[in-house]
């Protein structure tokens, strides 16, 4: 049975280069009581990335110890590196009434939904494979071989799009952002969430003892 909560766990999935991270950052800036989970990873930090802000950068031995303890909501191996989401942190935020966004792949999304069936998942698509290739090339971070591998991975990722509750196409950034804002707003108005947030008001209106 889905558990009652004052907040919603959002799962955002997209192929690399679809603009997921930029959209999520803009969404966080646009809305209150909304945070993105900072994943743990064994990969090396890239230029400009800050430990604890972009990721929690840890060793493989630390990662495996945490996973064996059951500390992760979900974990996955991507391009030879491990990623995981802290179960304790996510649950603490939700208990405080703060909505949480998980930026994870379809495998992680499936793991989270199994444990948290009332999570709301959205898949962000690029407008075309050509646009996706141009975005990956334009980053200037990867060579042609890596980009080709990411394009293959993108197609594999997109094949799981129907597992998500909602789909947003990131063709026009502002339009995609407005759609995400509308999505979060609508989830906050859902009866299952509002009955928890507004329990004192409902008790008063219905003459019930709180």
């Amino acid at each position: 049975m889905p558990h009652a909560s004052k907040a919603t766990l959002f799962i955002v999935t997209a192929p690399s280069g679809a603009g997921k991270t930029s959209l999520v950052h803009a969404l966080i800036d646009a809305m209150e009581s909304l945070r993105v989970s900072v994943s743990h990873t064994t990969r090396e930090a890239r230029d400009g990335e800050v430990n604890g802000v972009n990721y929690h950068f840890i060793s493989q031995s630390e990662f495996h110890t945490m996973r064996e303890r059951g500390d992760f909501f979900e974990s996955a191996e991507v391009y030879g590196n491990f990623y995981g989401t802290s179960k304790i942190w996510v649950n603490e935020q939700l208990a405080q009434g703060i909505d949480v966004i998980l930026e994870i792949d379809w495998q992680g999304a499936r793991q989270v939904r199994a444990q948290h069936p009332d999570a709301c998942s959205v898949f962000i698509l690029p407008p075309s494979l050509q646009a996706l290739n141009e975005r990956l090339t334009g980053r200037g971070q990867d060579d042609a071989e890596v980009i080709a591998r990411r394009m293959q991975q993108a197609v594999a990722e997109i094949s799981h799009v129907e597992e998500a509750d909602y789909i947003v196409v990131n063709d026009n950034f502002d339009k995609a952002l407005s759609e995400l804002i509308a999505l979060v707003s609508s989830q906050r108005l859902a009866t299952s969430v509002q009955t928890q947030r507004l329990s004192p008001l409902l008790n008063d209106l219905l003459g019930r003892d709180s």
Side-chain angles (χ1 to χ4, degrees):
M1 289 286 292
H3 68 274
S5 176
K6 294 181 180 179
T8 300
L9 179 60
F10 292 94
I11 300 169
V12 180
T13 302
S16 179
K20 173 184 64 177
T21 301
S22 297
L23 281 169
V24 168
H25 286 170
L27 182 62
I28 295 291
D29 290 340
M31 307 195 77
E32 296 180 350
S33 299
L34 180 64
R35 294 179 183 169
V36 62
S37 173
V38 178
S39 298
H40 290 70
T41 184
T42 60
R43 78 160 171 78
E44 294 292 323
R46 294 172 180 158
D47 289 342
E49 288 185 330
V50 179
N51 186 40
V53 175
N54 302 99
Y55 287 96
H56 297 291
F57 296 100
I58 59 175
S59 67
Q60 287 212 11
S61 60
E62 286 178 285
F63 187 95
H64 295 314
T65 297
M66 291 179 69
R67 187 166 63 179
E68 288 170 7
R69 275 202 311 252
D71 291 353
F72 292 132
F73 224 144
E74 58 80 33
S75 61
E77 182 179 359
V78 183
Y79 304 125
N81 298 306
F82 293 93
Y83 296 81
T85 300
S86 170
K87 184 184 298 184
I88 295 173
W89 186 88
V90 169
N91 287 333
E92 284 177 350
Q93 302 305 305
L94 295 175
Q96 294 172 30
I98 298 170
D99 295 323
V100 176
I101 295 177
L102 304 184
E103 292 185 66
I104 51 181
D105 67 5
W106 70 269
Q107 292 169 305
R110 188 178 282 180
Q111 291 177 51
V112 172
R113 280 195 300 268
Q115 301 172 71
H116 199 107
D118 51 352
C120 174
S121 56
V122 56
F123 202 109
I124 297 174
L125 290 175
S128 67
L129 286 178
Q130 180 182 348
L132 186 65
N133 188 284
E134 290 172 356
R135 290 175 186 176
L136 289 172
T137 304
R139 285 177 175 179
Q141 294 178 340
D142 303 308
D143 59 29
E145 183 180 343
V146 172
I147 290 173
R149 191 168 74 236
R150 289 189 183 276
M151 288 297 297
Q152 286 183 324
Q153 183 68 25
V155 174
E157 185 92 27
I158 292 169
S159 71
H160 295 274
V161 66
E162 292 183 4
E163 295 180 20
D165 299 311
Y166 299 92
I167 298 172
V168 171
V169 178
N170 185 18
D171 189 4
N172 178 287
F173 185 89
D174 291 338
K175 182 174 182 291
L177 176 59
S178 68
E179 290 174 346
L180 287 174
I181 291 172
L183 173 58
V184 173
S185 298
S186 68
Q187 291 299 306
R188 289 179 172 180
L189 296 175
T191 301
S192 59
V193 175
Q194 288 286 68
T195 51
Q196 296 298 311
R197 285 181 172 157
L198 302 177
S199 58
L201 172 62
L202 288 170
N203 288 335
D204 183 58
L205 291 172
L206 296 170
R208 297 188 303 217
D209 293 331
S210 56

